[in-house]
Amino acid sequence: MIKAIITDIEGTTTDIDFVHKVLFPYSRRKMHAFLNEHQHSPEVAQEIKQAQQLMQNQTASLDAVCEQLIAWIDSDQKIGPLKTLQGFIWAEGFAKGEYQGHVYQDAYDHLQKWHQAGLKLYVYSSGSVQAQRLLFQYSAFGDMRPLFQGYFDTQVGGKKESASYATILKAIQFKPEETLFLSDVVAELDAAKENGMHTALLNRNKAALPKHYHIETSSFGGILAHFERN
Ligand SMILES: [Mg+2]
């Protein structure tokens, strides 16, 4: 019986376009002004310093750091200081109401229903835990954070690595067969399944996919019914 559900965000609860067409361009647009305004606050200064270290140029100017950060955004690189700074910029954008976190209606409905039914819900996404919380705090459905017991990001390891799921299982203290992992990426589901977890593939666009060994669905509806039947 499923007692805990761990969900991915991008492509699963949330339209991939929200991240790539709303959040990333926003951080790109605001990076320069943000660094200028907050360069002396200790949290920001620390990230600037880390970026300079990665650039192997401890005296790089603020403009040069900004250019490097934007180059990392453009090449979709997950670099520590970039992710942290983006988190700060997104937090401002969410708080100002510049955008709301996108969540599919069916995902919201079912997360709510599962939570009410006593299932424990967790998030595992490559976005930082800070960014995950923001997206759900400022979702179009209001603050969804009360639905979740915990959040995991790549601090536990990469999403295609089997060991990451072992770490999550240990942290949440459920048996693998009591858990279900939801994702839109087969390689991530394969890694979860290697640990004995149940898996379901969200194929939002009903794309033709190579053969795989996961339950496949285009929405959250009916996922759990599948386990009750079997
Ligand atoms: Mg995904």
Side-chain angles (χ1 to χ4, degrees):
M1 195 183 145
I2 306 289
K3 294 184 181 169
I5 298 177
I6 300 116
T7 185
D8 164 57
I9 296 180
E10 275 182 62
T12 302
T13 60
T14 298
D15 191 340
I16 290 180
D17 279 354
F18 175 68
V19 179
H20 291 279
K21 296 194 175 155
V22 178
L23 291 184
F24 278 84
Y26 185 81
S27 64
R28 193 183 193 287
R29 217 161 51 236
K30 298 284 180 178
M31 186 63 76
H32 196 263
F34 180 86
L35 291 181
N36 260 314
E37 191 180 338
H38 300 286
Q39 57 183 303
H40 301 298
S41 89
E43 298 106 334
V44 174
Q46 189 186 322
E47 301 306 321
I48 293 172
K49 206 170 159 190
Q50 270 202 43
Q52 286 168 327
Q53 277 164 9
L54 291 168
M55 292 163 71
Q56 297 181 324
N57 180 0
Q58 317 280 358
T59 56
S61 68
L62 199 65
D63 281 349
V65 170
C66 186
E67 262 174 47
Q68 179 63 72
L69 289 163
I70 286 172
W72 284 332
I73 294 176
D74 291 345
S75 54
D76 200 19
Q77 297 207 58
K78 317 273 186 201
I79 309 272
L82 170 64
K83 283 175 74 166
T84 306
L85 290 167
Q86 280 178 314
F88 295 150
I89 295 171
W90 291 331
E92 276 195 357
F94 276 118
K96 284 185 192 161
E98 302 256 12
Y99 40 73
Q100 288 180 309
H102 175 269
V103 177
Y104 288 109
Q105 180 78 52
D106 59 271
Y108 173 73
D109 290 344
H110 285 82
L111 289 168
Q112 183 91 349
K113 202 168 117 187
W114 294 338
H115 174 71
Q116 277 164 10
L119 286 158
K120 303 296 180 209
L121 306 177
Y122 300 88
V123 178
Y124 179 32
S125 156
S126 56
S128 67
V129 165
Q130 177 203 17
Q132 298 173 23
R133 283 184 202 271
L134 283 170
L135 190 146
F136 289 117
Q137 178 179 1
Y138 294 102
S139 93
F141 297 102
D143 189 353
M144 291 174 64
R145 289 175 302 170
L147 300 181
F148 298 106
Q149 303 287 315
Y151 303 82
F152 299 94
D153 60 20
T154 50
Q155 297 276 347
V156 299
K159 297 188 73 191
K160 296 175 183 172
E161 289 161 30
S162 171
S164 308
Y165 299 86
T167 303
I168 292 173
L169 284 169
K170 216 169 176 181
I172 66 178
Q173 300 225 303
F174 283 99
K175 296 190 188 109
E177 63 271 22
E178 294 170 336
T179 65
L180 167 64
F181 177 56
L182 308 176
S183 172
D184 61 323
V185 175
V186 171
E188 296 176 4
L189 296 165
D190 288 344
K193 209 177 183 76
E194 276 176 38
N195 290 276
M197 299 168 76
H198 295 286
T199 50
L201 175 73
L202 271 293
N203 184 355
R204 292 274 175 195
N205 311 318
K206 300 182 182 160
L209 297 171
K211 187 168 166 56
H212 62 79
Y213 299 92
H214 309 285
I215 293 162
E216 185 174 332
T217 175
S218 61
S219 85
F220 274 40
I223 294 177
L224 278 197
H226 180 95
F227 293 99
E228 281 150 17
R229 276 200 307 272
N230 288 277

